[in-house]
């Protein structure tokens, strides 16, 4: 029979996890909704 050995070593440098969160779509949506409401409320000036 063959036997194996598994070694696990911790990395010498810290693990870095970068989280890039994109919130542009939500911001644009909210601005568009607010602009639409403003235009509806002040239709006479547009």
């Amino acid at each position: 029979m063959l036997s194996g050995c598994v070694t696990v070593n911790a990395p010498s440098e810290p693990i870095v996890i970068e989280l890039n969160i994109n919130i542009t779509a939500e911001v644009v949506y909210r601005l568009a909704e607010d602009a639409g409401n403003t235009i509806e409320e002040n239709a006479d000036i547009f």
Side-chain angles (χ1 to χ4, degrees):
M1 278 185 148
L2 297 174
S3 62
C5 180
V6 177
T7 16
V8 178
N9 296 326
S12 59
E13 297 179 9
I15 297 172
V16 177
I17 300 173
E18 293 184 21
L19 298 175
N20 294 323
I21 301 172
N22 186 353
I23 58 170
T24 305
E26 184 177 349
V27 172
V28 170
Y29 175 75
R30 287 187 182 180
L31 286 175
E33 185 179 359
D34 288 344
N37 291 340
T38 303
I39 291 170
E40 286 177 10
E41 292 170 3
N42 301 296
D44 55 331
I45 63 172
F46 288 101

